[in-house]
Amino acid sequence: MNKKIKKWKEKFFKQLKKIKTEHLVKQFIKNNILFLTFLFTCVLNAILLRFFTMPTLENYLSFKPILADFGVVLLFGSFSFLFKNKNRFTYLLIVEIIFTLICVINSIYYTFYTSFASASMLSLAQFIAPVGDAVVENVLQLKDLVYIIGLIIFIAVHIHVKKKHYDRKEDTKLEKRKKTIKGIAVSAIVFTIFTISLTSLEMGRFVKQWNREYIVMRFGIYLYQLNDVFVSLQPKINSIFGYDQAKKNFEEYFSEKENHEENEYTNIFEGKNVIVIHGESIQDIAINRTFNGEEVTPTLNRLIREGLFFSNFYSEVSVGTSSDTELTFNTSLMPTKSGTAFVSYFDRTYNSTPKYFKEKGYYTFSMHANNADFWNRRAMHKSLGYDKFYSKETYDVDSENIIGLGLSDKSFFAQSVEKIKKIKEKEGTPFYGLLISLTNHTPFSDVEKYDPFDVDIKETVTHDDGTTETISHPYMEGTKLGNYFKSVHYADAALGEFLSALDEAGLLENTVFILYGDHDARLPKNDYIRLNNYDTATDDIKDEEDPTYQEYNSYHYELDRKVPLIIWTKDHQVQGVVENTMGMIDAMPTIGNMFGFENPYALGHDIFSIKDQNVVVFPNGNWITNKVYYNSQKGEYMSLKDEEVISKDYIEKNNQYAEKLLDVSNDMIVFDLLNQEKDKKEAK
Ligand code: GP9
Ligand code: MN
């Protein structure tokens, strides 16, 4: 009997508890219906935006952006508890309108640009304004307005509960604070869970903020937009302090600069068309290399034989990789110390190669089959002075012709030739065009789509009975560097096809063809060690004790990051190998001299003038000359000429030079110092 009563008792209390919680939940919902509607509609809008803009399975299943959206909305909503009953709605309404607008604007923007809007683009209104009418006429669709439903529901709920809520007893100040803190605390927990779930790649991309689709897909639209405002304001804040000192240093630096003197290359190419190839991740390591007698880069090797090859040419990129090279190649400035010039300082004045060509009556264009907002190229290519940027929108991209990151180089070049033909016909002027390749981009994993190329070692052995057999030692097969060679082989073949197509179209006749590798491919050091020290007998790296073992230290690794620079014409007008150490920063002065223009504010040098005295500075403060590679983090160096003794003075002098160069370059961009020079020039 006792047992039965106990059971009854338990059941009763369980029920009571349930009723109590149910009651509490009901009560909570009833009291906070407006707040909850606000939360629900704002989060739902964010989900819908992702649903309509990026309809991929990965996106549908992703929980992270929902968590982030919820955290942000809850954080903003929590402050509503501080308000009086009557004013709470107004506060929430304002926030809800802002959040709704964020969704509507981004929805429209995405239809136009397949990317998300940025506050930094406000200063680009002049570029966006011409498409304003088109937006209303052609683009505004039902899916852009769906977000307003949330706002209407929110207002309807308010009207429904208005009377009850207004008449309700006001919370005390302490109660209001407590409720707000509770809300903030929950949102902090949500953010903690969210942050733990992030990978370092995701964090890195969030900080850089340029890969907008990627960020929205993982961080949600609201966090993206908040971060965007912060990133957009950063350059403004940076440029408030230190202007006078920066200007003084700048003027001093250029007053000391020596005048450029003419040399045998001055004006040799004046009036000729230019096609520049931005060779994604092409390193010298692939050039003139063979596997089983087959060249990795037959096309590049031919161009090198027939043209001018700069054999000690270094890319000087920072976190902006491709975009940093585009900046340095075209302006002879270094990447900025924080952020990237393409994203944070796209609205500065640049003395750029396209602008100088334009002054000479050229038509200037750039072509790249990726999303136009990648690295903020849409905006920055305008600032650099390209008349037109042909981006992904202008190419036919389908699943058939995609390799790695996007449109395959072969298809990109084939479609680009057609565009260049039209440009030539339409413009009737010489042209300067930059074509940015894409296929040879890390992680080089689409191996089966490249043209077949073996990176093993084939050995023919003769057996006792006289028969022969070919054995394959895996060597670089299956390594990242091995896949890289396969990828470069593909990229090289694509270039070969491009050159043939240009030739067929008569576009090589009066044209100078320039190719640079934009930066190294970030390959593992161990793969280089394997490349240099492979033992076929063990299918492994040789022992360090082995007398044939070639040392491979961090300096060798740095030196192997070298990239090619080739200048070639069909009639072999220029030929030879330039061995003097040269950086991306020297490209503009060197090429400018050949085409008859000079940027007085270039920080690099014409290699044919400076010759063996050149110092190539890297954004981290390291530098290299013909004699030394200096590591500024360690304060150590490796001598590149065994017989020469390097003096302390030499190191000190170049250290100072490196520091000054990086400072002046950064100041010129951050403080927009060339803008005033431009004003002065115009006033004259
Ligand atoms: C993107 C491509 C690659 O469009 O240029 O950029 P990267 O990752 O090399 O900086
Ligand atoms: Mn790149």
Side-chain angles (χ1 to χ4, degrees):
M1 189 65 181
N2 232 357
K3 248 187 178 175
K4 230 180 183 178
I5 293 175
K6 212 177 161 190
K7 230 181 178 178
W8 270 70
K9 227 172 142 184
E10 260 174 24
K11 218 175 175 185
F12 172 75
F13 278 115
K14 219 174 170 183
Q15 206 60 29
L16 192 75
K17 223 174 168 182
K18 206 174 154 199
I19 294 169
K20 221 174 156 186
T21 21
E22 256 175 32
H23 176 73
L24 276 178
V25 172
K26 264 190 194 160
Q27 201 59 35
F28 178 80
I29 294 176
K30 228 171 148 187
N31 285 344
N32 297 288
I33 186 73
L34 197 65
F35 174 72
L36 293 173
T37 313
F38 163 81
L39 277 188
F40 178 74
T41 50
C42 290
V43 174
L44 183 70
N45 273 353
I47 295 172
L48 285 177
L49 180 73
R50 285 195 304 281
F51 182 86
F52 287 129
T53 51
M54 297 173 290
T56 62
L57 190 67
E58 191 191 345
N59 189 6
Y60 295 150
L61 300 177
S62 177
F63 195 68
K64 285 185 199 176
I66 301 180
L67 218 55
D69 287 330
F70 179 68
V72 176
V73 178
L74 178 62
L75 183 68
F76 277 85
S78 300
F79 293 102
S80 67
F81 293 114
L82 291 174
F83 290 86
K84 283 188 175 159
N85 288 347
K86 275 198 169 176
N87 298 337
R88 187 163 303 133
F89 167 71
T90 318
Y91 169 77
L92 286 176
L93 180 69
I94 292 171
V95 182
E96 172 114 18
I97 289 176
I98 294 172
F99 283 177
T100 308
L101 271 177
I102 287 177
C103 292
V104 173
I105 290 170
N106 276 292
S107 174
I108 298 170
Y109 190 90
Y110 197 90
T111 318
F112 239 108
Y113 298 117
T114 9
S115 183
F116 294 95
S118 166
S120 59
M121 294 289 163
L122 289 176
S123 54
L124 279 185
Q126 44 168 335
F127 305 138
I128 295 166
V131 296
D133 292 343
V135 170
V136 181
E137 279 169 27
N138 308 322
V139 176
L140 201 64
Q141 298 163 7
L142 213 59
K143 67 160 183 51
D144 302 322
L145 301 174
V146 74
Y147 310 98
I148 295 169
I149 298 173
L151 188 64
I152 296 170
I153 294 175
F154 176 71
I155 295 170
V157 170
H158 163 69
I159 293 169
H160 187 67
V161 298
K162 188 173 155 189
K163 208 167 157 354
K164 243 188 275 165
H165 279 200
Y166 282 7
D167 294 346
R168 209 162 55 189
K169 190 175 145 270
E170 283 288 345
D171 284 338
T172 64
K173 253 192 180 159
L174 189 69
E175 279 167 339
K176 282 180 179 172
R177 274 190 206 151
K178 266 189 181 167
K179 281 186 181 174
T180 309
I181 289 170
K182 270 187 201 163
I184 295 174
V186 177
S187 115
I189 294 169
V190 172
F191 277 124
T192 311
I193 300 169
F194 172 69
T195 313
I196 292 169
S197 76
L198 293 175
T199 62
S200 56
L201 179 75
E202 286 168 339
M203 280 306 281
R205 294 212 163 157
F206 185 66
V207 173
K208 290 182 202 160
Q209 179 74 10
W210 55 266
N211 198 338
R212 303 191 205 150
E213 274 178 296
Y214 183 93
I215 298 173
V216 172
M217 204 145 131
R218 281 148 185 97
F219 292 79
I221 189 70
Y222 302 128
L223 208 53
Y224 156 78
Q225 209 76 76
L226 276 174
N227 189 40
D228 167 72
V229 170
F230 179 73
V231 172
S232 306
L233 284 178
Q234 216 178 13
K236 301 265 176 308
I237 296 165
N238 284 353
S239 54
I240 293 172
F241 307 102
Y243 175 83
D244 292 339
Q245 189 60 43
K247 190 154 169 50
K248 202 171 144 244
N249 293 348
F250 162 75
E251 279 164 359
E252 237 171 61
Y253 190 92
F254 284 101
S255 68
E256 285 164 13
K257 197 180 159 186
E258 280 167 33
N259 281 341
H260 174 257
E261 273 169 28
E262 293 197 353
N263 54 46
E264 54 176 316
Y265 289 93
T266 307
N267 293 345
I268 56 165
F269 290 143
E270 222 172 2
K272 294 204 166 169
N273 300 317
V274 194
I275 292 180
V276 179
I277 302 293
H278 169 115
E280 178 58 48
S281 303
I282 296 189
Q283 280 175 243
D284 279 9
I285 188 94
I287 284 167
N288 284 328
R289 178 173 296 279
T290 56
F291 284 88
N292 304 303
E294 259 196 73
E295 293 172 292
V296 178
T297 58
T299 312
L300 291 179
N301 297 351
R302 174 169 73 85
L303 296 182
I304 286 170
R305 276 197 309 275
E306 298 173 355
L308 198 54
F309 175 50
F310 301 81
S311 64
N312 284 303
F313 182 68
Y314 291 87
S315 141
E316 295 163 289
V317 298
S318 178
V319 291
T321 45
S322 273
S323 73
D324 282 345
T325 274
E326 283 168 55
L327 171 89
T328 306
F329 178 82
N330 273 319
T331 63
S332 195
L333 292 171
M334 291 295 287
T336 47
K337 291 183 178 176
S338 70
T340 64
F342 264 51
V343 177
S344 306
Y345 304 103
F346 67 88
D347 55 355
R348 304 307 200 248
T349 304
Y350 294 98
N351 281 4
S352 67
T353 300
K355 285 184 188 167
Y356 282 105
F357 273 116
K358 269 171 73 158
E359 276 179 15
K360 287 183 170 289
Y362 279 56
Y363 180 76
T364 61
F365 62 87
S366 57
M367 295 176 170
H368 182 46
N370 204 356
N371 198 321
D373 285 315
F374 228 86
W375 283 131
N376 203 26
R377 285 186 177 108
R378 189 199 306 281
M380 187 61 174
H381 279 206
K382 254 201 169 124
S383 302
L384 287 177
Y386 289 107
D387 284 317
K388 190 169 163 69
F389 172 30
Y390 294 82
S391 68
K392 188 177 176 182
E393 297 141 34
T394 69
Y395 286 84
D396 289 329
V397 185
D398 57 53
S399 54
E400 292 292 290
N401 56 21
I402 283 182
I403 303 183
L405 280 197
L407 185 65
S408 71
D409 278 3
K410 285 193 182 180
S411 181
F412 166 63
F413 283 132
Q415 294 186 48
S416 298
V417 172
E418 297 308 312
K419 293 185 199 302
I420 301 174
K421 273 192 216 166
K422 282 195 191 127
I423 289 172
K424 198 183 166 215
E425 266 165 39
K426 190 173 156 226
E427 301 302 327
T429 59
F431 58 78
Y432 170 81
L434 169 76
L435 284 85
I436 303 169
S437 68
L438 187 59
T439 304
N440 191 43
H441 192 281
T442 195
F444 318 110
S445 47
D446 251 355
V447 183
E448 70 287 349
K449 291 193 181 167
Y450 308 146
D451 306 334
F453 186 75
D454 293 340
V455 291
D456 60 351
I457 294 177
K458 293 191 196 346
E459 193 186 359
T460 310
V461 284
T462 312
H463 295 295
D464 294 343
D465 60 3
T467 54
T468 57
E469 187 192 355
T470 305
I471 304 174
S472 157
H473 303 282
Y475 191 24
M476 300 313 289
E477 289 292 343
T479 65
K480 190 157 180 193
L481 181 54
N483 286 350
Y484 170 72
F485 287 134
K486 289 172 194 257
S487 167
V488 176
H489 184 71
Y490 169 88
D492 181 87
L495 265 175
E497 288 180 14
F498 178 51
L499 281 165
S500 306
L502 285 174
D503 200 12
E504 227 166 82
L507 285 165
L508 285 183
E509 293 323 315
N510 202 24
T511 299
V512 179
F513 190 82
I514 301 174
L515 178 139
Y516 63 76
D518 70 339
H519 48 72
D520 75 304
R522 288 154 272 179
L523 299 158
K525 191 172 152 207
N526 234 8
D527 284 3
Y528 287 92
I529 299 178
R530 186 178 173 91
L531 183 73
N532 294 319
N533 291 293
Y534 181 69
D535 188 348
T536 46
T538 58
D539 179 29
D540 209 344
I541 296 170
K542 286 178 198 161
D543 197 278
E544 279 187 44
E545 304 302 314
D546 189 318
T548 59
Y549 184 88
Q550 285 176 37
E551 194 203 345
Y552 196 87
N553 59 30
S554 56
Y555 288 104
H556 296 115
Y557 184 76
E558 289 301 330
L559 296 174
D560 269 345
R561 294 175 70 196
K562 233 170 12 183
V563 295
L565 173 66
I566 303 169
I567 300 179
W568 176 90
T569 59
K570 190 183 166 186
D571 60 2
H572 310 168
Q573 192 184 345
V574 284
Q575 278 191 310
V577 178
V578 179
E579 287 179 358
N580 286 322
T581 306
M582 182 177 175
M584 198 60 78
I585 203 167
D586 304 312
M588 183 190 198
T590 304
I591 293 166
N593 176 52
M594 293 169 148
F595 283 89
F597 67 82
E598 188 188 346
N599 169 12
Y601 296 105
L603 288 171
H605 299 90
D606 172 5
I607 196 66
F608 298 113
S609 290
I610 192 139
K611 298 182 177 140
D612 61 351
Q613 296 304 304
N614 204 18
V615 183
V616 173
V617 178
F618 297 98
N620 61 2
N622 289 4
W623 50 262
I624 184 168
T625 64
N626 278 7
K627 296 179 186 175
V628 158
Y629 183 95
Y630 181 80
N631 182 319
S632 79
Q633 283 84 52
K634 292 189 186 150
E636 290 169 2
Y637 63 85
M638 179 165 102
S639 177
L640 303 174
K641 283 190 171 157
D642 289 342
E643 71 280 9
E644 234 181 277
V645 182
I646 308 297
S647 72
K648 252 190 174 171
D649 275 2
Y650 182 77
I651 300 287
E652 195 39 46
K653 198 180 91 212
N654 286 338
N655 268 343
Q656 278 175 13
Y657 170 77
E659 208 172 299
K660 227 177 186 180
L661 180 97
L662 291 172
D663 282 345
V664 170
S665 177
N666 192 63
D667 287 349
M668 282 168 74
I669 299 173
V670 172
F671 295 102
D672 202 7
L673 296 177
L674 289 180
N675 189 19
Q676 293 162 29
E677 293 310 311
K678 183 187 79 187
D679 292 347
K680 266 193 223 161
K681 199 171 145 191
E682 276 165 12
K684 269 184 202 165

